[in-house]
């Protein structure tokens, strides 16, 4: 099994100490920079150090898991969850493709992928039947992570798709024809339940719903769940809500824990034990074209996405998650994970 070859590398040569050879008075005696001074090298090294599990990979699924990240409510953390889970899984040695299905192109931006109007994009795949392989780009900072970008063209696709043959299953067909080996495909949906989201639900087996821990969190979820049922009934019998992730959790507020309790009562086992804290680092990372995993690997946001990815990977191979084994004690609803309270 391929393990964390890409993250174990830097660990074999940690930051070297000061040079021992004699130096002239004109030579700086500063600690030299790390030998592996690439962004990914540094990021991976820090991440692995922070997790304290050098070289430990995650189990990879036998078949590609296609996970649809959906919630028609805007701004609940769909894109943030997609890119950070994808980066976490890739840093653990998996091969991961992010499909950006939102005309805003936020996932493409966050992954540092060029998506101006002329770039071959998921629009060409859906509307022009271009092979997926011709639009997929490697993500610069993370080995094993790839992105099919969205451009502004996609804004017209909801309408253009209506008159096309097999309009609901065009993404599914494109994915089936894609021959590169992948462990995970994560699809970032727009905040609507139109044909783009239906295409994602026909293409995937699993739905991951990010829920923001705030008032009205559960409003509108009924509609989303009904759509999942409809797609399962008519177009994709394998589709199911596999995962609920609580996002922007602020353990200092009673409201957040009330919402979390309500969601856990309602959904039970689908809810990940790990919730994602509200974190400045998470919100800053996209403006640098990075995930929080490379932007600040030791931050609470990065650690919690790593932990959520671990839960998802373990569930995929039928291993139950033991929260007491969480890296650095990242626990569900842990107030100490909220920045500023640590
Ligand atoms: N855990 C977090 N802590 C702080 N800010 C966050 C967190 N998660 C997401 N955000 C911020 O909240 C905003 C909305 O997040 P995001 O874009 O991921 O939501 P979305 O559901 O994809 O939105 P849309 O429906 O518009 O596609 C972004 O500015 C993002 O940086
Ligand atoms: Mg989004």
């Amino acid at each position: 099994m391929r393990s964390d070859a890409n993250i174990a590398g830097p660990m074999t040569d940690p930051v070297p100490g000061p040079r021992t050879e004699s130096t002239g008075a004109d030579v700086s005696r500063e600690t030299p920079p790390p030998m592996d001074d690439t962004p990914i090298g540094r990021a991976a090294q820090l991440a692995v150090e922070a997790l304290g599990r050098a070289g430990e990979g995650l189990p990879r699924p036998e078949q590609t898991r296609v996970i649809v990240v959906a919630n028609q409510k805007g701004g609940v953390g769909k894109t943030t969850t997609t890119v950070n889970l994808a980066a976490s899984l890739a840093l653990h040695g998996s091969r991961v493709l992010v499909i950006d299905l939102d005309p805003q192109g936020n996932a493409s931006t966050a992954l540092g992928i060029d998506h101006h109007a002329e770039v071959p994009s998921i629009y060409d795949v859906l509307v022009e039947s271009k092979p997926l392989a011709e639009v997929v780009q490697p993500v610069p900072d993370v080995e094993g992570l790839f992105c099919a970008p969205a451009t502004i063209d996609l804004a017209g696709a909801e309408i253009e798709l209506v008159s096309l043959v097999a309009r609901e299953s065009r993404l599914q067909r494109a994915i089936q024809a894609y021959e590169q080996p992948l462990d995970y495909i994560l699809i970032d949906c727009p905040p609507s339940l139109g044909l783009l989201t239906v295409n994602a639900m026909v293409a995937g087996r699993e739905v991951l719903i990010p829920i923001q821990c705030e008032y009205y969190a559960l409003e509108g979820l009924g509609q989303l769940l009904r759509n999942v049922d409809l797609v399962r009934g008519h177009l994709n019998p394998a589709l199911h809500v596999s995962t609920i992730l609580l996002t922007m959790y602020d353990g200092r507020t009673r409201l957040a824990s009330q919402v979390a309790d309500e969601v856990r009562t309602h959904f039970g086992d689908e809810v990940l034990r790990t919730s994602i804290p509200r974190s400045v680092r998470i919100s800053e990372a996209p403006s640098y074209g990075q995930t929080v995993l490379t932007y600040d690997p030791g931050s609470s946001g990065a650690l919690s996405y790593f932990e959520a990815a671990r839960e998802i990977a373990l569930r995929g191979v039928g291993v139950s998650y033991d929260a007491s084994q969480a890296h650095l004690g990242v626990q569900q609803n842990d107030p100490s994970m909220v920045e500023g309270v640590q």
Side-chain angles (χ1 to χ4, degrees), residues 43-325:
Q45 180 175 338
L46 284 168
V48 173
E49 280 173 1
L51 295 171
R53 300 273 180 103
E56 182 188 300
L58 286 177
R60 294 165 64 189
E62 276 179 19
Q63 290 179 341
T64 309
R65 288 175 68 185
V66 183
I67 303 177
V68 180
V69 182
N71 189 336
Q72 82 274 28
K73 194 182 254 259
V76 297
K78 293 182 287 296
T79 302
T80 306
T81 295
T82 304
V83 299
N84 288 303
L85 284 180
S88 300
L89 291 164
L91 286 168
H92 274 109
S94 289
R95 284 174 62 87
V96 186
L97 171 64
V98 169
I99 296 182
D100 189 349
L101 215 54
D102 185 345
Q104 297 175 104
N106 294 155
S108 313
T109 305
L111 293 172
I113 297 289
D114 197 5
H115 62 108
H116 62 80
E118 276 76 50
V119 171
S121 71
I122 201 69
Y123 170 87
D124 302 299
V125 173
L126 292 173
V127 177
E128 312 286 353
S129 303
K130 195 188 258 287
L132 188 54
E134 291 181 23
V135 312
V136 167
Q137 297 185 41
V139 172
D141 281 351
V142 184
E143 196 183 317
L145 182 56
F146 303 86
C147 176
T151 61
I152 193 66
D153 292 341
L154 196 58
E158 292 272 9
I159 293 169
E160 289 177 66
L161 280 170
V162 172
S163 58
L164 297 182
V165 179
R167 59 188 177 184
E168 298 97 353
S169 51
R170 297 181 74 86
L171 183 62
Q172 180 198 39
R173 290 178 180 198
I175 288 174
Q176 279 171 354
Y178 186 71
E179 287 180 341
Q180 297 298 318
L182 288 170
D183 297 307
Y184 297 90
I185 298 177
L186 271 67
I187 308 176
D188 183 29
C189 291
S192 66
L193 294 172
L195 265 178
L196 288 172
T197 299
V198 170
N199 261 272
M201 288 185 180
V202 172
R205 279 178 74 89
E206 302 180 42
V207 179
L208 185 161
I209 307 177
I211 295 182
Q212 184 179 353
C213 293
E214 50 138 43
Y215 200 56
Y216 298 133
L218 296 176
E219 206 168 71
L221 272 186
Q223 187 62 40
L224 174 61
L225 298 177
R226 274 193 294 281
N227 273 39
V228 172
D229 287 345
L230 276 173
V231 172
R232 183 177 46 242
H234 296 282
L235 298 162
N236 180 7
L239 188 71
H240 62 288
V241 176
S242 65
T243 314
I244 308 281
L245 178 62
L246 296 166
T247 63
M248 297 182 237
Y249 182 82
D250 183 345
R252 293 168 296 186
T253 69
R254 193 178 299 169
L255 176 63
S257 54
Q258 281 171 351
V259 171
D261 288 347
E262 200 177 335
V263 171
R264 287 183 195 284
T265 307
H266 198 275
F267 288 99
D269 288 346
E270 280 83 36
V271 188
L272 293 186
R273 306 281 303 265
T274 310
S275 44
I276 307 301
R278 191 171 275 286
S279 147
V280 175
R281 291 286 185 244
I282 289 179
S283 58
E284 284 172 348
S287 57
Y288 295 88
Q290 288 191 41
T291 68
V292 73
L293 281 308
T294 51
Y295 177 64
D296 190 350
S299 64
S300 61
L303 293 173
S304 56
Y305 270 115
F306 253 124
E307 204 54 38
R310 195 163 77 91
E311 273 193 69
I312 290 170
L314 291 175
R315 285 176 173 208
V317 293
V319 175
S320 62
Y321 173 78
D322 179 358
S324 67
Q325 298 293 308

Side-chain angles (χ1 to χ4, degrees), residues 329-341:
V330 179
Q331 298 285 319
Q332 56 157 335
N333 306 348
D334 179 354
S336 71
M337 287 299 292
V338 180
E339 282 168 7
V341 186

